Amino acid sequence: MPLPTVLYVEGPRDRDILEGWARAASVPLARAVREAAVILGGRQLGRAASHLAEAEALRPGLRGLCVLDRDDAAEAPGGTARLEIFMWSRRHIESYLLVPAAIQRALHLPEHDGRASRLLRRYVPDAADEATLRDVDAKRLLGATGPIARGLGRPLALGRIARAMRPDELHGDVTALLARMREGLLAPEVLVTLATGLRR
């Protein structure tokens, strides 16, 4: 049986996206993401390490999985025996939501909606262009004041886009993280809320 794991994420939007992807894989995994996630309030690896040390004092054997945006980092920071680091190969977690069909499904727009299709073709790099997708500023593109939301006349719910994605639309990075989360988060012990001081 896997050891219980705390899932550290940079912000609430990251948790919502991970929960959306997890829901497509399994409802228990989505529930576990919601229960195990601790929001760091940014790329605060030190905060994750100290939270884990406090939590482990109460629950010996506890482990941590910290999910970080790559941003402009050249390589992932080193983890520890108890705190594993998962860093996206693309710039932001939002970069993996740049799937036009999923965006249209999340907004309940028909695939033949020409205006939305043209807008998404204009701003979303081609799925085969991994070099561009790796560095595109997806936070800006998908943000509430970004060009896609402005062009569509409404904000985008990123967790809803994640839920709308089909298994064949998930990038290998996403499926790798889902597999890792399944290992650590579906231990029954992790479903107990860890009230150790950080806002969830």
Side-chain angles (χ1 to χ4, degrees):
M1 176 181 294
L3 289 169
T5 302
V6 181
L7 177 66
Y8 295 101
V9 296
E10 293 188 33
R13 213 163 42 178
D14 300 53
R15 180 194 57 203
D16 293 344
I17 293 168
L18 290 176
E19 188 180 357
W21 285 329
R23 187 166 300 283
S26 99
V27 172
L29 181 59
R31 206 171 19 248
V33 166
R34 175 65 56 174
E35 291 294 322
V38 172
I39 295 167
L40 297 173
R43 190 186 173 90
Q44 300 191 53
L45 193 52
R47 193 171 187 198
S50 44
H51 176 271
L52 183 61
E54 289 174 23
E56 193 185 6
L58 301 172
R59 311 255 336 265
L62 198 63
R63 299 179 67 86
L65 173 62
C66 187
V67 180
L68 300 174
D69 285 344
R70 179 177 54 83
D71 295 323
D72 297 318
E75 58 186 46
T80 65
R82 293 266 176 231
L83 182 61
E84 178 186 349
I85 308 301
F86 181 96
M87 190 170 80
W88 298 109
S89 66
R90 291 182 180 177
R91 186 172 178 183
H92 305 125
I93 189 173
E94 291 87 351
S95 306
Y96 298 91
L97 299 175
L98 294 174
V99 178
I103 294 170
Q104 288 188 253
R105 284 194 300 274
L107 293 170
H108 304 291
L109 295 173
E111 287 186 35
H112 61 271
D113 185 316
R115 185 177 64 90
S117 295
R118 283 190 300 277
L119 180 73
L120 293 170
R121 272 198 308 275
R122 179 177 176 190
Y123 289 107
V124 176
D126 186 87
D129 187 359
E130 187 61 31
T132 300
L133 285 164
R134 188 180 183 325
D135 292 319
V136 71
D137 188 349
K139 281 188 180 183
R140 183 189 67 78
L141 280 180
L142 297 174
T145 60
I148 296 175
R150 283 198 320 268
L152 292 171
R154 57 177 144 163
L156 301 167
L158 303 188
R160 185 176 294 160
I161 296 170
R163 284 191 301 278
M165 291 176 72
R166 296 177 176 150
D168 64 319
E169 294 171 332
L170 297 177
H171 188 275
D173 290 352
V174 174
T175 55
L177 180 59
L178 287 174
R180 177 59 196 90
M181 289 190 316
R182 196 176 289 115
E183 281 175 27
L185 298 184
L186 290 183
E189 297 92 335
V190 85
L191 299 179
V192 177
T193 301
L194 299 167
T196 54
L198 279 186
R199 276 179 58 188
R200 291 180 166 278

